[in-house]
Amino acid sequence: MDPTLTMFISLIATSGVFTVFLCIYAYIKRKDIPGAYTFVIYTTTQAIYIFAHAFEMASDTIVEVKRWTILEYIGIGAAPAIGLLIVMQYVGVNLTRTKIAALFVIPAITLVMVITNDYHHLFYKDMYFRENAPFLTTDIVIGQYYIVHGAYIFGCMLAAVVLLLRRWRQTKKAYRLQLVTLIMGQFMPMTGAFVYLMGLTPYGIDPVPMILCITSTMYIWAIVSTKMLTIIPIAKDRIFESMREGAIVLDFADRLVDTNSVINVMFPGFTTDMLGLTLDEIWTRLSGAPFPVVRSQDGSQEEFSWRADDGKEFYYQIRSSVVRGRNGEPIGSLLMLIDITEQRLLQDQLKQLAYYDGLTKLLNRTEFLRRSKMILEEAVVSNQLSMCIVLFDIDHFKHINDTYGHDVGDLAIQHVVKVARRIEADVPGVLLARYGGEEFVMTIPACSLDEAALLAEQIREQLAVEPMSGSFGSIAVTASFGLTQASHRGDSLEMLLKHADMALYQAKRAGRNQVRVFDGPLEASFGTSR
């Protein structure tokens, strides 16, 4: 075999190997690639064309050449139409099954015309080996239908290039490298075919199979560097950018496909440079942890918080929707992020007003009663009746108000709360609430009477040794305590509060600044009467 011919055949075979590699890759990654089967068929038809052309060049009889030409046109007839279909899918042009079938009418007729050419000679009138060539080179005299076939091939590739060029301005910079690769993948074979038909190639060799080696190399490079197959823009840019909500588009494997500009405002570090990373990988870069919301199903709604670099906390509602392909198959997901910070802050304010006391930030009486009843019910169910109630109020509070004014009286209330919170913080599960005026109440779950009395005594003692100071001077603020424990399954919260109140009254009557425990008709005292 002539060395020059060997070189050409080797180049064509290499092109075929690259194309087969693309085909195998697309098939292996078919679950992650939208439209993977279309790309598999596309590369398969190209591989058939390339290898058949290589065998045609190696043939030494016209009969063999005709045989390989038939196989060659199985690929060359369908590949341009499939390539156009892939481009349409890329730019978002949806076709019905009827229109898709229409794309392959002429390729089907072409194959029939090539197979039956010896009977009508409408595709090529004659086929012969070129004279004065250094090796056997096939040449043909074209027939009428060859012109139809050639025009259709050029039309498909030109239409694909035009569709891609029209998308240039609408395509974000992050995707333009993909776009260039796809444009060249259509433009280069079209140019090679034109040069071949014009008779400008050396020895009349068809350069398209060797050009496909270059385009296959470009595709392989684009797959590795730009995720060309797995990252396809499935969101519409104009709609995308006009949305007030943040939008994140993920592919089927949860990799980032696109975002709108609102996301960049919400999360400044979230950029299109992260295309191809999974959402968990991106969020780990931004916050050090995976994405906090589990998207369980289509239409699910969840909320999460985000702390900005300046320390300000934002709240977002995330709505998840499945993005489906032309045939209804899931090809990705769309996450809508809505800023609900103001709404959440308003809810927190309303919750604060509904559940908490404005002056002390403790639970208010209503919320305390509701939660305490739940604790008592749980104690009854678990048969662990060891819940204690402690009531206490400020001694001589009216005197403080009358002498120093109500502003100082409010400070006295806050002073008592500060001391009580500091001590009860070490006891798990304690409910501390403002019961009314200068009176406070605690529910202590899973606690013995002695432990509750000790806690109350610690608060009383700390108040006694820690006077309240301010511009008004120093004021001794003490408190009296009454406590009881649930001991029977029939004990109600109202009864326990009544018993604690009776013990508190006894502490007041005995001289204040002391702890009294309700124990039936007898009350034991802790501390010193003053």
Side-chain angles (χ1 to χ4, degrees):
M1 186 178 291
D2 185 88
T4 305
L5 179 61
T6 302
M7 179 189 69
F8 282 129
I9 293 176
S10 298
L11 286 174
I12 293 171
T14 302
S15 176
V17 171
F18 282 1
T19 305
V20 170
F21 171 81
L22 280 175
C23 178
I24 295 172
Y25 177 86
Y27 181 77
I28 292 174
K29 297 289 185 180
R30 61 191 181 279
K31 292 184 179 180
D32 300 334
I33 300 174
Y37 288 107
T38 305
F39 195 82
V40 167
I41 296 172
Y42 179 60
T43 50
T44 299
T45 55
Q46 284 188 332
I48 291 172
Y49 162 57
I50 293 169
F51 283 115
H53 188 74
F55 284 114
E56 177 195 326
M57 292 188 67
S59 300
D60 53 10
T61 67
I62 292 298
V63 174
E64 288 182 9
V65 170
K66 287 182 179 181
R67 188 183 305 125
W68 290 116
T69 299
I70 292 173
L71 185 61
E72 185 178 337
Y73 272 91
I74 293 176
I76 196 174
I82 301 172
L84 176 59
L85 187 60
I86 289 174
V87 169
M88 286 181 172
Q89 291 176 344
Y90 184 87
V91 300
V93 177
N94 293 321
L95 297 178
T96 63
R97 291 185 178 181
T98 302
K99 291 180 179 179
I100 292 174
L103 281 175
F104 296 94
V105 170
I106 289 181
I109 295 174
T110 296
L111 182 60
V112 172
M113 297 294 282
V114 172
I115 294 172
T116 60
N117 186 75
D118 287 343
Y119 299 99
H120 50 71
H121 299 286
L122 291 175
F123 194 78
Y124 49 85
K125 294 180 179 179
D126 192 16
M127 180 180 291
Y128 56 91
F129 288 123
R130 181 175 294 202
E131 296 180 357
N132 301 322
F135 48 82
L136 292 177
T137 305
T138 307
D139 208 346
I140 64 171
V141 178
I142 64 173
Q144 294 89 335
Y145 191 80
Y146 189 94
I147 299 173
V148 175
H149 165 73
Y152 181 74
I153 288 179
F154 276 100
C156 285
M157 290 189 288
L158 182 61
V161 171
V162 170
L163 285 173
L164 291 169
L165 288 174
R166 289 181 63 183
R167 288 284 298 182
W168 183 263
R169 289 186 178 181
Q170 301 173 358
T171 301
K172 294 182 177 181
K173 290 182 179 179
Y175 293 119
R176 286 185 177 177
L177 197 56
Q178 292 185 24
L179 204 60
V180 169
T181 303
L182 287 171
I183 290 172
M184 296 305 294
Q186 297 294 323
F187 182 75
M188 291 176 65
M190 180 178 69
T191 304
F194 180 78
V195 171
Y196 170 67
L197 291 176
M198 293 293 293
L200 300 178
T201 58
Y203 313 120
I205 292 176
D206 184 356
V208 174
M210 288 172 282
I211 290 175
L212 291 178
C213 178
I214 300 174
T215 59
S216 295
T217 304
M218 291 174 60
Y219 281 141
I220 293 171
W221 170 78
I223 288 169
V224 174
S225 61
T226 71
K227 302 292 191 296
M228 187 186 71
L229 290 178
T230 55
I231 308 299
I232 296 177
I234 56 178
K236 301 297 182 181
D237 290 339
R238 291 181 181 177
I239 300 175
F240 214 42
E241 293 301 331
S242 65
M243 299 166 84
R244 293 183 179 181
E245 299 81 11
I248 299 173
V249 181
L250 305 173
D251 69 4
F252 191 74
D254 219 27
R255 290 180 293 248
L256 178 64
V257 170
D258 207 353
T259 65
N260 64 358
S261 57
V262 179
I263 287 293
N264 304 132
V265 175
M266 290 178 170
F267 314 104
F270 204 129
T271 65
T272 52
D273 293 337
M274 296 176 173
L275 291 174
L277 298 178
T278 66
L279 189 56
D280 282 342
E281 290 172 339
I282 293 171
W283 218 257
T284 300
R285 288 189 182 185
L286 295 178
S287 65
F291 193 64
V293 176
V294 178
R295 299 169 304 286
S296 56
Q297 57 185 357
D298 187 19
S300 63
Q301 296 186 16
E302 300 288 344
E303 294 182 8
F304 71 97
S305 62
W306 167 264
R307 189 174 296 277
D309 292 338
D310 59 3
K312 186 176 181 181
E313 192 161 18
F314 295 88
Y315 295 90
Y316 298 103
Q317 181 185 80
I318 181 169
R319 299 178 181 177
S320 177
S321 301
V322 173
V323 178
R324 299 188 181 278
R326 182 179 63 255
N327 298 323
E329 75 281 6
I331 60 174
S333 59
L334 172 64
L335 308 182
M336 300 290 297
L337 277 75
I338 304 168
D339 190 340
I340 58 169
T341 303
E342 291 186 8
Q343 177 184 340
R344 180 64 178 268
L345 292 177
L346 179 60
Q347 289 176 346
D348 289 345
Q349 291 174 1
L350 293 174
K351 181 179 178 181
Q352 194 73 24
L353 291 173
Y355 299 156
Y356 297 90
D357 173 62
L359 177 63
T360 63
K361 309 306 178 186
L362 297 177
L363 292 174
N364 60 25
R365 181 184 182 125
T366 302
E367 183 63 12
F368 169 81
L369 293 174
R370 186 184 72 82
R371 296 191 187 185
S372 295
K373 285 181 179 178
M374 292 174 60
I375 293 175
L376 182 59
E377 289 172 359
E378 291 175 1
V380 171
V381 170
S382 62
N383 200 27
Q384 294 181 346
L385 290 172
S386 56
M387 184 184 87
C388 292
I389 297 288
V390 179
L391 271 174
F392 61 102
D393 69 4
I394 301 173
D395 296 331
H396 304 296
F397 184 72
K398 185 176 183 301
H399 174 73
I400 295 174
N401 273 337
D402 292 344
T403 304
Y404 299 98
H406 289 281
D407 290 344
V408 176
D410 288 345
L411 292 175
I413 290 173
Q414 291 174 329
H415 172 72
V416 171
V417 170
K418 182 178 70 173
V419 172
R421 272 188 157 170
R422 190 167 66 230
I423 294 173
E424 61 86 19
D426 295 331
V427 182
V430 175
L431 291 183
L432 177 61
R434 186 179 182 186
Y435 202 56
E438 75 279 15
E439 192 171 17
F440 306 91
V441 64
M442 286 192 298
T443 292
I444 314 173
C447 178
S448 69
L449 202 55
D450 289 340
E451 290 171 335
L454 180 60
L455 176 63
E457 176 61 21
Q458 288 175 336
I459 297 173
R460 184 206 66 77
E461 188 178 59
Q462 190 62 40
L463 285 171
V465 300
E466 187 177 328
M468 179 179 69
S469 301
S471 58
F472 44 80
S474 180
I475 303 174
V477 180
T478 62
S480 300
F481 296 77
L483 61 108
T484 190
Q485 182 184 41
S487 57
H488 304 286
R489 296 182 66 87
D491 289 347
S492 66
L493 180 63
E494 290 77 11
M495 185 185 72
L496 294 174
L497 287 168
K498 182 178 179 181
H499 289 170
D501 188 56
M502 291 171 63
L504 172 60
Y505 176 75
Q506 183 65 23
K508 290 282 189 181
R509 193 174 60 181
R512 297 182 173 85
N513 190 26
Q514 57 187 277
V515 177
R516 288 292 176 116
V517 178
F518 178 81
D519 188 18
L522 301 175
E523 293 89 25
S525 65
F526 288 75
T528 305
S529 299
R530 296 182 184 177

